[in-house]
Amino acid sequence: AVYMKTATEVGGDYYDFHVGMDGTLTVVIGDATGHGMKAGTMVTTTKSLFSSHASNPDILFTFQEITRCIKYMNMQMLSMCLSIIKIKGNKMHISAAGMPPALIYRSKTKTVEEIVLKGMPLGAFQDFPYQLKETEIFTGDTLLLMSDGLPEMFNKNKELFGYERVRVTYEKAADKNPEEIIQELKNAGADWSQTEIPDDDVTF
């Protein structure tokens, strides 16, 4: 299940899915630097590159290639934060370039696990040593990927929603179906901001 609300007419957030011939599910979520048309151009570029590399099992190679192409295109200080996950059977691989932590709800233990992978946005440095994490997921587990739009959402008192509130909101709904989890996160953001127009693109 996916939700995206853009701050301006052209958004800088991005998500996509790909199912390979061997059944591997690849999911990507990203956040371009800035807003508006420049960010939208970066999203279009990233979508094209993801389409070309989605079937490649090597996430880190894909990161290197996206960075190489962004640099070759001379995008003038623009970069792309990105997380890619690949799921085959119950094995999951994930890497992230400047994105918020991924949250996994473990149905068996009724706990939420945080996957923190630090790394520079793509397009910043050619050979940055990105981390790759392997884990397992099982029936009843859920996974939350997001841009920074919700955790960095302000209320009328200029207070941030924050990552801890995201986690608490997710924990309360994590055993529900994906659409219901999305709705809980949307409601929490709307209650917090009290406005229809977010300061930043919001995606999860």
Side-chain angles (χ1 to χ4, degrees):
V2 178
Y3 171 76
M4 178 185 283
K5 189 173 185 66
T6 58
T8 56
E9 193 170 320
V10 179
D13 278 7
Y14 164 63
Y15 69 88
D16 217 335
F17 301 91
H18 176 270
V19 180
M21 296 291 285
D22 65 350
T24 299
L25 170 65
T26 304
V27 182
V28 62
I29 182 169
D31 184 358
T33 52
H35 303 286
M37 193 56 72
K38 285 185 177 180
T41 301
M42 178 59 78
V43 168
T44 302
T45 301
T46 304
K47 182 174 179 62
S48 299
L49 292 167
F50 176 71
S51 297
S52 300
H53 294 284
S55 59
N56 190 324
D58 189 342
I59 296 175
L60 300 185
F61 176 79
T62 300
F63 277 4
Q64 287 178 357
E65 281 298 284
I66 292 175
T67 288
R68 183 182 66 81
C69 291
I70 290 172
K71 282 186 164 295
Y72 179 76
M73 293 172 70
N74 194 19
M75 303 282 282
Q76 296 178 344
M77 303 302 290
L78 287 179
S79 57
M80 188 77 188
C81 300
L82 207 69
S83 289
I84 296 180
I85 66 166
K86 287 185 177 286
I87 299 172
K88 184 179 181 184
N90 70 326
K91 293 282 193 298
M92 186 183 94
H93 292 85
I94 179 170
S95 189
M99 287 295 285
L103 299 176
I104 301 179
Y105 170 73
R106 302 294 189 183
S107 180
K108 188 174 181 181
T109 58
K110 304 288 190 283
T111 57
V112 170
E113 176 185 325
E114 192 174 62
I115 299 179
V116 181
L117 296 168
K118 295 182 178 178
M120 295 297 293
L122 302 181
F125 296 103
Q126 181 56 60
D127 294 311
F128 189 89
Y130 293 102
Q131 301 168 273
L132 184 68
K133 180 172 176 65
E134 180 180 340
T135 188
E136 293 182 307
I137 54 174
F138 300 95
T139 302
D141 292 354
T142 57
L143 171 70
L144 174 63
L145 303 171
M146 61 185 162
S147 68
D148 61 9
L150 178 61
E152 295 185 5
M153 184 180 287
F154 287 98
N155 66 8
K156 64 179 185 297
N157 298 320
K158 295 299 178 185
E159 299 167 318
L160 283 174
F161 189 80
Y163 288 95
E164 186 57 36
R165 283 190 184 86
V166 173
R167 180 171 179 145
V168 169
T169 304
Y170 174 58
E171 279 179 328
K172 290 177 181 176
D175 61 345
K176 298 181 179 180
N177 69 51
E179 289 78 11
E180 290 175 314
I181 296 170
I182 291 285
Q183 193 60 51
E184 292 287 340
L185 293 164
K186 280 172 60 178
N187 292 346
D191 290 346
W192 181 257
S193 66
Q194 296 292 304
T195 177
E196 286 297 306
I197 304 171
D199 297 319
D200 193 5
D201 305 320
V202 176
T203 305
F204 26 79

